[in-house]
Amino acid sequence: MSYEIAEIVAGLNQPQKMISPKYFYDKRGSKLFEQICELPEYYLTRTEIGIMEASMNDIARAIGRHVSVIEYGIGSGLKTRILLENLDDPVAFIPIDISPEHLAESCQNLAKRFPQIEVLPVAADFTRPVPIPVPGRTAARKLVYFPGSTIGNFETEAAIELLRVMYQEAGPGGALLIGADLKKDRQIIENAYNDSEGITAEFNLNVLRRLNREFGSDFDLNAFSHSATYNESSGRIEMYLISQCAQEVTLGEHRFSFIEGEKIITEYCHKFSLEGFRELASVAGFQHVNTWLDANRWFSIQLYER
Ligand code: AVI
Protein backbone atom coordinates (compact mmCIF):
# COMPACT_ATOMS: atom_id res chain seq x y z
CA MET A 1 0.00 0.00 0.00
CA SER A 2 1.41 3.46 -0.91
CA TYR A 3 1.89 5.87 1.97
CA GLU A 4 -0.87 8.05 0.48
CA ILE A 5 -3.44 5.22 0.54
CA ALA A 6 -2.33 4.26 4.07
CA GLU A 7 -2.77 7.89 5.16
CA ILE A 8 -6.21 8.25 3.52
CA VAL A 9 -7.46 4.93 4.97
CA ALA A 10 -6.14 5.83 8.45
CA GLY A 11 -7.89 9.24 8.24
CA LEU A 12 -11.23 7.70 7.23
CA ASN A 13 -10.96 5.13 10.04
CA GLN A 14 -10.71 7.80 12.75
CA PRO A 15 -13.82 8.35 14.94
CA GLN A 16 -13.81 11.88 13.41
CA LYS A 17 -13.17 11.02 9.77
CA MET A 18 -10.58 13.20 8.06
CA ILE A 19 -8.84 13.72 4.69
CA SER A 20 -5.62 15.77 4.63
CA PRO A 21 -5.99 19.14 2.82
CA LYS A 22 -2.85 18.37 0.81
CA TYR A 23 -5.04 16.12 -1.41
CA PHE A 24 -6.96 19.20 -2.61
CA TYR A 25 -4.17 20.14 -4.99
CA ASP A 26 -4.43 18.02 -8.11
CA LYS A 27 -4.48 20.00 -11.39
CA ARG A 28 -8.18 20.89 -11.08
CA GLY A 29 -7.84 21.64 -7.34
CA SER A 30 -4.91 23.99 -7.98
CA LYS A 31 -6.95 25.82 -10.65
CA LEU A 32 -9.96 26.05 -8.33
CA PHE A 33 -7.71 27.45 -5.60
CA GLU A 34 -6.46 30.11 -8.04
CA GLN A 35 -10.11 31.01 -8.68
CA ILE A 36 -10.74 31.19 -4.91
CA CYS A 37 -7.86 33.67 -4.59
CA GLU A 38 -9.69 36.04 -6.95
CA LEU A 39 -13.11 35.83 -5.28
CA PRO A 40 -14.41 39.07 -3.75
CA GLU A 41 -15.08 37.28 -0.43
CA TYR A 42 -11.59 35.73 -0.22
CA TYR A 43 -9.76 38.74 1.22
CA LEU A 44 -6.53 36.87 2.07
CA THR A 45 -4.68 37.00 -1.30
CA ARG A 46 -5.72 40.54 -2.19
CA THR A 47 -4.77 41.83 1.27
CA GLU A 48 -1.40 40.07 1.33
CA ILE A 49 -0.56 41.43 -2.15
CA GLY A 50 -1.64 44.90 -1.00
CA ILE A 51 0.78 44.71 1.95
CA MET A 52 3.57 43.58 -0.38
CA GLU A 53 2.90 46.42 -2.81
CA ALA A 54 2.85 49.00 -0.01
CA SER A 55 5.86 47.71 1.96
CA MET A 56 8.05 45.82 -0.47
CA ASN A 57 10.99 48.23 -0.35
CA ASP A 58 11.09 47.93 3.39
CA ILE A 59 10.69 44.13 3.30
CA ALA A 60 13.44 43.74 0.65
CA ARG A 61 15.81 45.94 2.65
CA ALA A 62 15.23 43.83 5.78
CA ILE A 63 15.96 40.61 3.82
CA GLY A 64 19.16 41.86 2.17
CA ARG A 65 21.01 41.00 -1.04
CA HIS A 66 22.06 37.78 -2.79
CA VAL A 67 19.57 35.47 -1.05
CA SER A 68 18.38 32.13 -2.34
CA VAL A 69 14.60 31.91 -1.93
CA ILE A 70 13.06 28.57 -0.95
CA GLU A 71 9.28 28.74 -1.35
CA TYR A 72 7.11 26.11 0.34
CA GLY A 73 4.18 25.57 -2.06
CA ILE A 74 3.67 27.74 -5.11
CA GLY A 75 0.50 29.67 -5.83
CA SER A 76 -0.36 31.65 -8.94
CA GLY A 77 3.17 33.08 -8.87
CA LEU A 78 2.14 36.71 -8.44
CA LYS A 79 3.50 37.06 -4.88
CA THR A 80 6.70 35.29 -5.90
CA ARG A 81 7.07 37.64 -8.83
CA ILE A 82 6.65 40.73 -6.62
CA LEU A 83 9.21 39.35 -4.16
CA LEU A 84 11.81 38.41 -6.80
CA GLU A 85 11.35 41.72 -8.64
CA ASN A 86 12.14 43.66 -5.49
CA LEU A 87 14.91 41.62 -3.86
CA ASP A 88 18.46 42.81 -4.48
CA ASP A 89 20.03 40.34 -6.95
CA PRO A 90 18.62 37.04 -5.62
CA VAL A 91 20.78 34.06 -6.67
CA ALA A 92 18.22 31.26 -6.86
CA PHE A 93 14.56 30.37 -6.53
CA ILE A 94 13.72 26.90 -5.19
CA PRO A 95 9.97 26.16 -5.05
CA ILE A 96 8.71 22.94 -3.41
CA ASP A 97 5.21 21.90 -4.49
CA ILE A 98 3.16 18.70 -4.38
CA SER A 99 1.60 19.26 -7.86
CA PRO A 100 4.27 18.58 -10.56
CA GLU A 101 2.15 20.04 -13.42
CA HIS A 102 1.42 23.22 -11.51
CA LEU A 103 5.07 23.52 -10.46
CA ALA A 104 6.36 23.08 -14.04
CA GLU A 105 3.95 25.70 -15.41
CA SER A 106 4.79 28.29 -12.72
CA CYS A 107 8.56 27.70 -13.04
CA GLN A 108 8.48 28.10 -16.82
CA ASN A 109 6.84 31.51 -16.43
CA LEU A 110 9.24 32.58 -13.66
CA ALA A 111 12.34 31.40 -15.57
CA LYS A 112 11.21 33.49 -18.57
CA ARG A 113 10.60 36.55 -16.42
CA PHE A 114 13.84 36.16 -14.37
CA PRO A 115 16.52 34.66 -16.68
CA GLN A 116 19.28 35.76 -14.28
CA ILE A 117 17.86 33.73 -11.36
CA GLU A 118 18.55 29.99 -11.18
CA VAL A 119 15.20 28.18 -10.82
CA LEU A 120 15.43 24.75 -9.13
CA PRO A 121 11.93 23.22 -8.74
CA VAL A 122 11.33 20.36 -6.29
CA ALA A 123 8.14 18.31 -6.89
CA ALA A 124 7.48 16.90 -3.41
CA ASP A 125 5.22 16.88 -0.37
CA PHE A 126 6.92 19.44 1.87
CA THR A 127 5.30 17.99 5.00
CA ARG A 128 7.85 15.17 4.64
CA PRO A 129 11.67 15.58 4.63
CA VAL A 130 12.82 16.81 1.20
CA PRO A 131 16.41 17.14 -0.12
CA ILE A 132 16.87 20.74 -1.30
CA PRO A 133 19.13 21.36 -4.35
CA VAL A 134 22.17 23.61 -3.93
CA PRO A 135 22.37 26.60 -6.34
CA GLY A 136 25.43 27.16 -8.54
CA ARG A 137 26.11 30.63 -7.10
CA THR A 138 26.73 30.91 -3.37
CA ALA A 139 23.95 32.81 -1.57
CA ALA A 140 24.56 35.32 1.23
CA ARG A 141 21.72 33.66 3.15
CA LYS A 142 18.68 31.46 2.59
CA LEU A 143 15.20 32.93 2.76
CA VAL A 144 12.35 30.51 3.39
CA TYR A 145 9.18 32.02 1.88
CA PHE A 146 5.78 30.71 3.01
CA PRO A 147 3.02 33.11 1.94
CA GLY A 148 -0.77 32.81 1.89
CA SER A 149 -1.28 31.77 5.53
CA THR A 150 -0.85 28.13 4.49
CA ILE A 151 0.73 27.67 7.93
CA GLY A 152 -2.86 28.10 9.22
CA ASN A 153 -3.82 24.80 7.55
CA PHE A 154 -1.67 22.88 10.07
CA GLU A 155 -2.70 22.00 13.61
CA THR A 156 -0.50 23.63 16.25
CA GLU A 157 1.92 20.72 16.78
CA ALA A 158 2.29 20.13 13.03
CA ALA A 159 2.75 23.88 12.43
CA ILE A 160 5.60 23.96 14.97
CA GLU A 161 7.10 20.84 13.40
CA LEU A 162 7.00 22.44 9.92
CA LEU A 163 8.47 25.71 11.25
CA ARG A 164 11.28 23.64 12.81
CA VAL A 165 11.97 22.04 9.41
CA MET A 166 12.08 25.55 7.89
CA TYR A 167 14.40 26.68 10.68
CA GLN A 168 16.79 23.83 9.83
CA GLU A 169 16.46 24.56 6.12
CA ALA A 170 17.13 28.30 6.57
CA GLY A 171 20.48 27.38 8.14
CA PRO A 172 22.75 29.75 10.11
CA GLY A 173 21.90 33.39 9.36
CA GLY A 174 18.82 32.31 7.37
CA ALA A 175 15.41 33.96 7.46
CA LEU A 176 11.69 33.20 7.14
CA LEU A 177 9.17 35.48 5.42
CA ILE A 178 5.68 34.20 6.21
CA GLY A 179 2.08 35.30 5.64
CA ALA A 180 -0.34 34.78 8.54
CA ASP A 181 -4.06 35.58 8.46
CA LEU A 182 -5.31 37.37 11.59
CA LYS A 183 -8.39 36.96 13.80
CA LYS A 184 -11.25 39.29 12.86
CA ASP A 185 -15.03 39.52 12.68
CA ARG A 186 -16.42 35.99 12.21
CA GLN A 187 -18.73 36.97 9.33
CA ILE A 188 -15.82 38.25 7.24
CA ILE A 189 -13.93 35.00 7.83
CA GLU A 190 -16.93 32.72 7.19
CA ASN A 191 -17.83 34.54 3.96
CA ALA A 192 -14.30 33.89 2.66
CA TYR A 193 -14.92 30.12 2.90
CA ASN A 194 -18.59 30.14 1.76
CA ASP A 195 -18.42 32.20 -1.43
CA SER A 196 -21.61 33.00 -3.31
CA GLU A 197 -20.36 31.36 -6.55
CA GLY A 198 -19.80 28.00 -4.83
CA ILE A 199 -16.15 27.75 -5.92
CA THR A 200 -14.96 26.79 -2.41
CA ALA A 201 -17.66 24.08 -2.29
CA GLU A 202 -16.36 22.75 -5.66
CA PHE A 203 -12.79 22.87 -4.33
CA ASN A 204 -13.81 20.92 -1.21
CA LEU A 205 -15.77 18.26 -3.14
CA ASN A 206 -12.98 17.94 -5.72
CA VAL A 207 -10.92 16.05 -3.13
CA LEU A 208 -13.44 13.16 -3.39
CA ARG A 209 -13.22 13.22 -7.19
CA ARG A 210 -9.44 13.00 -6.88
CA LEU A 211 -9.58 10.11 -4.38
CA ASN A 212 -11.93 8.25 -6.76
CA ARG A 213 -9.67 8.81 -9.77
CA GLU A 214 -6.24 8.28 -8.21
CA PHE A 215 -6.87 5.86 -5.36
CA GLY A 216 -9.93 3.92 -6.61
CA SER A 217 -12.57 4.96 -4.05
CA ASP A 218 -16.25 5.26 -5.02
CA PHE A 219 -17.42 8.45 -3.28
CA ASP A 220 -20.71 9.75 -4.71
CA LEU A 221 -20.04 13.50 -5.02
CA ASN A 222 -23.77 14.24 -4.98
CA ALA A 223 -24.11 12.56 -1.60
CA PHE A 224 -21.78 15.00 0.24
CA SER A 225 -22.06 18.74 0.79
CA HIS A 226 -19.60 21.51 1.69
CA SER A 227 -19.63 23.27 5.07
CA ALA A 228 -17.21 25.81 6.59
CA THR A 229 -17.80 27.38 10.01
CA TYR A 230 -15.59 29.51 12.23
CA ASN A 231 -14.88 27.94 15.61
CA GLU A 232 -14.23 31.03 17.71
CA SER A 233 -12.72 29.20 20.68
CA SER A 234 -10.08 27.44 18.59
CA GLY A 235 -9.73 30.45 16.23
CA ARG A 236 -10.15 28.44 13.06
CA ILE A 237 -12.39 27.72 10.10
CA GLU A 238 -13.38 24.06 10.13
CA MET A 239 -14.14 22.83 6.64
CA TYR A 240 -16.17 19.65 6.28
CA LEU A 241 -17.81 17.40 3.74
CA ILE A 242 -21.14 16.27 5.20
CA SER A 243 -22.73 12.98 4.24
CA GLN A 244 -26.27 13.68 2.99
CA CYS A 245 -27.50 10.15 3.78
CA ALA A 246 -26.49 6.85 5.38
CA GLN A 247 -24.04 5.30 2.92
CA GLU A 248 -21.02 3.06 2.43
CA VAL A 249 -17.89 4.03 0.54
CA THR A 250 -15.17 1.61 -0.54
CA LEU A 251 -11.49 2.10 -1.31
CA GLY A 252 -9.89 -1.18 -2.44
CA GLU A 253 -10.73 -3.73 0.25
CA HIS A 254 -11.56 -0.97 2.78
CA ARG A 255 -15.16 0.00 3.61
CA PHE A 256 -16.27 3.15 5.37
CA SER A 257 -19.81 3.60 6.75
CA PHE A 258 -21.39 7.01 7.08
CA ILE A 259 -24.53 7.98 8.95
CA GLU A 260 -26.66 10.84 7.64
CA GLY A 261 -25.07 14.16 8.68
CA GLU A 262 -21.67 12.61 9.46
CA LYS A 263 -18.75 14.93 8.72
CA ILE A 264 -15.34 14.39 7.15
CA ILE A 265 -12.97 17.15 8.26
CA THR A 266 -11.02 18.27 5.19
CA GLU A 267 -9.29 21.42 6.40
CA TYR A 268 -8.59 23.72 9.34
CA CYS A 269 -7.71 27.35 8.55
CA HIS A 270 -6.31 28.90 11.72
CA LYS A 271 -6.50 32.65 12.27
CA PHE A 272 -3.80 34.12 14.49
CA SER A 273 -3.22 36.96 16.92
CA LEU A 274 0.10 38.74 16.37
CA GLU A 275 1.37 37.61 19.79
CA GLY A 276 0.10 34.05 19.23
CA PHE A 277 1.94 33.73 15.94
CA ARG A 278 5.19 35.15 17.33
CA GLU A 279 4.96 32.63 20.15
CA LEU A 280 4.50 29.76 17.65
CA ALA A 281 7.53 30.89 15.60
CA SER A 282 9.65 31.33 18.72
CA VAL A 283 8.88 27.76 19.89
CA ALA A 284 10.43 26.64 16.57
CA GLY A 285 13.51 28.77 17.33
CA PHE A 286 12.84 31.87 15.20
CA GLN A 287 13.47 35.45 16.35
CA HIS A 288 10.97 38.06 15.24
CA VAL A 289 12.41 40.85 13.06
CA ASN A 290 9.42 42.80 11.73
CA THR A 291 5.72 42.59 10.85
CA TRP A 292 3.87 44.41 8.06
CA LEU A 293 0.08 44.84 8.15
CA ASP A 294 -2.74 46.25 6.00
CA ALA A 295 -4.77 49.23 7.26
CA ASN A 296 -7.57 46.94 8.60
CA ARG A 297 -5.05 44.66 10.38
CA TRP A 298 -6.64 41.66 8.64
CA PHE A 299 -3.43 39.99 7.44
CA SER A 300 0.24 40.03 8.38
CA ILE A 301 3.55 39.43 6.62
CA GLN A 302 6.21 38.60 9.18
CA LEU A 303 9.98 38.32 8.97
CA TYR A 304 11.96 36.05 11.30
CA GLU A 305 15.61 35.14 11.60
CA ARG A 306 17.51 32.26 13.12
C1 AVI B 1 -4.08 27.39 1.11
N1 AVI B 1 -4.79 27.94 2.26
C2 AVI B 1 -4.05 29.05 2.86
C3 AVI B 1 -6.21 28.30 2.01
C4 AVI B 1 -6.84 28.86 3.31
O1 AVI B 1 -7.46 29.91 3.23
O2 AVI B 1 -6.65 28.28 4.37
C5 AVI B 1 -6.98 27.09 1.52
C6 AVI B 1 -8.44 27.35 1.29
N2 AVI B 1 -9.40 26.54 1.65
C7 AVI B 1 -10.56 27.05 1.29
N3 AVI B 1 -10.37 28.22 0.75
C8 AVI B 1 -9.03 28.42 0.70
Side-chain angles (χ1 to χ4, degrees), residues 9-20:
V9 168
L12 292 172
N13 275 328
Q14 301 282 322
Q16 166 59 76
K17 293 183 174 65
M18 56 126 3
I19 299 172
S20 165

Side-chain angles (χ1 to χ4, degrees), residues 21 24-25 33 36-37 39 42-44 147-153 181 192-195 200 203-204 226 228 237 239 267-271 299:
F24 282 139
Y25 302 97
F33 181 61
I36 288 175
C37 292
L39 290 168
Y42 195 75
Y43 60 85
L44 287 83
S149 202
T150 304
I151 191 68
N153 298 135
D181 194 19
Y193 295 87
N194 291 284
D195 63 278
T200 311
F203 173 74
N204 197 5
H226 162 77
I237 279 282
M239 206 158 90
E267 189 174 58
Y268 293 125
C269 314
H270 291 84
K271 308 301 165 190
F299 199 93

Side-chain angles (χ1 to χ4, degrees), residues 49-65 82-88 177 290 292 301 303:
I49 290 172
I51 301 170
M52 292 182 89
E53 285 171 347
S55 306
M56 206 57 228
N57 287 344
D58 202 21
I59 296 173
R61 211 172 311 116
I63 291 168
R65 61 201 309 241
I82 299 175
L83 179 68
L84 295 178
E85 266 165 9
N86 285 279
L87 286 176
D88 186 354
L177 185 69
N290 208 343
W292 293 270
I301 298 180
L303 182 66

